[in-house]
Protein backbone atom coordinates (compact mmCIF):
# COMPACT_ATOMS: atom_id res chain seq x y z
CA UNK A 1 0.00 0.00 0.00
CA UNK A 2 1.33 3.42 -0.97
CA UNK A 3 1.88 5.86 1.90
CA UNK A 4 0.58 9.28 0.87
CA UNK A 5 1.70 12.21 3.01
CA UNK A 6 -0.02 15.55 2.49
CA UNK A 7 1.93 18.73 2.05
CA UNK A 8 2.11 21.19 4.95
CA UNK A 9 -0.66 23.79 4.69
CA UNK A 10 1.20 26.75 6.20
CA UNK A 11 -0.71 29.13 3.89
CA UNK A 12 -3.87 28.40 5.94
CA UNK A 13 -2.38 29.82 9.17
CA UNK A 14 -4.68 32.92 9.00
CA UNK A 15 -7.67 30.66 9.81
CA UNK A 16 -6.23 29.31 13.06
CA UNK A 17 -8.19 30.26 16.17
CA UNK A 18 -11.68 30.76 17.51
CA UNK A 19 -14.27 32.86 15.70
CA UNK A 20 -17.72 34.14 16.59
CA UNK A 21 -20.16 33.84 13.72
CA UNK A 22 -23.25 35.81 12.65
CA UNK A 23 -25.22 35.10 9.54
CA UNK A 24 -28.42 35.57 7.58
CA UNK A 25 -30.08 32.86 5.52
CA UNK A 26 -32.66 33.39 2.79
CA UNK A 27 -35.13 31.11 4.63
CA UNK A 28 -34.99 33.37 7.72
CA UNK A 29 -34.35 36.90 6.37
CA UNK A 30 -35.19 38.69 9.63
CA UNK A 31 -33.22 36.38 11.94
CA UNK A 32 -29.55 36.80 12.86
CA UNK A 33 -28.11 33.32 13.20
CA UNK A 34 -25.23 33.18 15.67
CA UNK A 35 -22.59 30.57 16.19
CA UNK A 36 -19.00 29.63 16.83
CA UNK A 37 -16.17 28.28 14.68
CA UNK A 38 -12.81 26.84 15.64
CA UNK A 39 -10.00 26.24 13.16
CA UNK A 40 -7.07 24.15 14.40
CA UNK A 41 -4.25 22.04 13.01
CA UNK A 42 -4.40 18.28 13.01
CA UNK A 43 -1.21 16.41 12.31
CA UNK A 44 1.89 18.30 11.34
CA UNK A 45 -0.04 21.06 9.53
CA UNK A 46 -1.22 18.57 6.90
CA UNK A 47 -4.89 18.93 7.87
CA UNK A 48 -6.92 21.85 9.12
CA UNK A 49 -10.02 21.04 11.18
CA UNK A 50 -12.98 23.42 11.14
CA UNK A 51 -15.54 22.79 13.91
CA UNK A 52 -18.67 24.90 13.47
CA UNK A 53 -21.92 25.29 15.38
CA UNK A 54 -24.93 27.58 15.10
CA UNK A 55 -27.52 28.43 17.76
CA UNK A 56 -30.45 27.96 15.35
CA UNK A 57 -32.05 24.48 15.35
CA UNK A 58 -32.38 24.41 11.54
CA UNK A 59 -28.61 24.69 11.03
CA UNK A 60 -26.57 21.57 11.85
CA UNK A 61 -23.24 21.54 13.62
CA UNK A 62 -20.45 20.52 11.27
CA UNK A 63 -16.88 19.36 11.17
CA UNK A 64 -14.70 19.92 8.12
CA UNK A 65 -11.33 18.41 7.35
CA UNK A 66 -9.24 20.48 4.94
CA UNK A 67 -6.22 19.00 3.23
CA UNK A 68 -4.27 18.74 0.01
CA UNK A 69 -6.45 15.78 -0.99
CA UNK A 70 -7.76 17.13 -4.30
CA UNK A 71 -6.53 16.18 -7.75
CA UNK A 72 -2.82 16.93 -8.19
CA UNK A 73 -2.55 17.91 -4.50
CA UNK A 74 -5.11 20.72 -4.65
CA UNK A 75 -7.02 21.71 -1.55
CA UNK A 76 -10.28 19.97 -0.70
CA UNK A 77 -12.72 20.49 2.16
CA UNK A 78 -14.53 17.38 3.44
CA UNK A 79 -17.70 18.54 5.25
CA UNK A 80 -19.62 16.38 7.72
CA UNK A 81 -22.69 17.49 9.70
CA UNK A 82 -24.86 16.24 12.54
CA UNK A 83 -27.57 15.15 10.07
CA UNK A 84 -25.15 12.60 8.62
CA UNK A 85 -24.48 14.61 5.45
CA UNK A 86 -21.00 14.49 3.86
CA UNK A 87 -19.93 16.74 1.00
CA UNK A 88 -16.58 17.31 -0.70
CA UNK A 89 -15.69 20.79 -1.95
CA UNK A 90 -12.80 22.03 -4.07
CA UNK A 91 -11.06 24.79 -2.12
CA UNK A 92 -8.68 27.67 -2.76
CA UNK A 93 -7.12 30.26 -0.48
CA UNK A 94 -5.09 33.08 -2.02
CA UNK A 95 -4.74 36.80 -1.44
CA UNK A 96 -6.98 36.65 1.63
CA UNK A 97 -9.86 35.08 -0.31
CA UNK A 98 -11.21 31.63 0.62
CA UNK A 99 -13.39 29.80 -1.90
CA UNK A 100 -15.11 26.43 -1.85
CA UNK A 101 -17.30 24.91 -4.56
CA UNK A 102 -18.91 21.66 -5.54
CA UNK A 103 -21.03 20.34 -8.38
CA UNK A 104 -24.22 18.37 -7.81
CA UNK A 105 -23.62 14.66 -7.19
CA UNK A 106 -26.92 13.63 -8.77
CA UNK A 107 -30.17 14.87 -10.30
CA UNK A 108 -31.74 15.78 -6.93
CA UNK A 109 -28.59 17.46 -5.58
CA UNK A 110 -27.53 21.11 -5.98
CA UNK A 111 -24.37 23.04 -6.84
CA UNK A 112 -22.85 25.14 -4.05
CA UNK A 113 -20.13 27.73 -3.68
CA UNK A 114 -18.87 30.10 -1.02
CA UNK A 115 -16.48 33.04 -1.16
CA UNK A 116 -15.07 34.59 2.02
CA UNK A 117 -12.74 37.57 2.20
CA UNK A 118 -10.42 38.32 5.11
CA UNK A 119 -10.20 41.90 6.36
CA UNK A 120 -6.83 43.68 6.09
CA UNK A 121 -6.09 42.96 9.78
CA UNK A 122 -7.11 39.30 9.41
CA UNK A 123 -9.63 39.46 12.25
CA UNK A 124 -12.83 39.36 10.18
CA UNK A 125 -14.03 37.19 7.30
CA UNK A 126 -17.16 38.03 5.33
CA UNK A 127 -18.68 35.30 3.23
CA UNK A 128 -21.48 34.67 0.81
CA UNK A 129 -22.75 31.20 -0.03
CA UNK A 130 -24.76 30.47 -3.15
CA UNK A 131 -26.53 27.47 -4.60
CA UNK A 132 -28.15 26.31 -7.80
CA UNK A 133 -31.22 24.15 -7.35
CA UNK A 134 -31.64 21.19 -9.73
CA UNK A 135 -32.95 22.24 -13.13
CA UNK A 136 -32.33 25.98 -12.61
CA UNK A 137 -29.77 27.99 -14.61
CA UNK A 138 -28.42 30.48 -12.05
CA UNK A 139 -26.58 30.43 -8.74
CA UNK A 140 -28.62 32.30 -6.10
CA UNK A 141 -27.68 33.84 -2.77
CA UNK A 142 -28.22 31.43 0.12
CA UNK A 143 -26.35 32.42 3.28
CA UNK A 144 -24.16 35.39 4.32
CA UNK A 145 -21.85 34.86 7.29
CA UNK A 146 -19.42 37.13 9.10
CA UNK A 147 -16.66 35.56 11.18
CA UNK A 148 -14.98 37.71 13.86
CA UNK A 149 -11.84 36.41 15.51
CA UNK A 150 -12.36 35.87 19.23
CA UNK A 151 -9.87 37.59 21.52
CA UNK A 152 -6.86 35.43 22.40
CA UNK A 153 -7.02 33.97 25.89
CA UNK A 154 -4.03 34.34 28.16
CA UNK A 155 -2.25 31.01 28.75
Amino acid sequence: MKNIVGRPLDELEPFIGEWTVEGRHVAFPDVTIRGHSLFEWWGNRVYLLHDSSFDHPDFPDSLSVIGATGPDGGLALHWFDTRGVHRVFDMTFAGGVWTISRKAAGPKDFDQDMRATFSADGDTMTSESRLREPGTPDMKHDFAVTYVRAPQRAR
Side-chain angles (χ1 to χ4, degrees):
M1 177 181 262
K2 185 177 179 182
N3 183 13
I4 300 172
V5 177
R7 66 179 166 85
L9 302 177
D10 294 333
E11 71 267 25
L12 302 182
E13 182 68 28
F15 290 93
I16 297 299
E18 294 184 48
W19 301 78
T20 58
V21 178
E22 288 192 357
R24 294 216 182 247
H25 191 276
V26 294
F28 306 96
D30 299 324
V31 176
T32 299
I33 300 160
R34 291 181 173 77
H36 177 264
S37 280
L38 173 66
F39 290 88
E40 60 187 343
W41 294 117
W42 189 59
N44 190 18
R45 294 181 178 246
V46 294
Y47 293 105
L48 180 65
L49 299 181
H50 177 203
D51 185 2
S52 182
S53 61
F54 289 100
D55 65 358
H56 195 285
D58 291 329
F59 295 86
D61 294 344
S62 65
L63 177 65
S64 296
V65 180
I66 300 166
T69 60
D72 298 322
L75 294 175
L77 181 146
H78 298 258
W79 187 76
F80 306 87
D81 74 27
T82 51
R83 301 169 300 179
V85 173
H86 168 242
R87 295 183 177 127
V88 179
F89 294 84
D90 294 325
M91 180 177 147
T92 64
F93 181 64
V97 178
W98 173 27
T99 66
I100 62 172
S101 62
R102 74 178 192 94
K103 296 292 184 193
K108 295 182 181 180
D109 198 5
F110 49 90
D111 296 345
Q112 285 179 280
D113 68 24
M114 186 274 308
R115 178 184 173 94
T117 304
F118 275 77
S119 62
D121 65 6
D123 288 339
T124 304
M125 282 188 282
T126 54
S127 74
E128 179 189 8
S129 296
R130 303 178 313 159
L131 61 84
R132 179 181 9 257
E133 293 290 351
T136 63
D138 298 320
M139 296 292 281
K140 298 202 185 234
H141 172 76
D142 186 42
F143 197 22
V145 176
T146 300
Y147 298 75
V148 176
R149 191 180 301 278
Q152 296 277 335
R153 295 184 198 151
R155 293 185 181 205

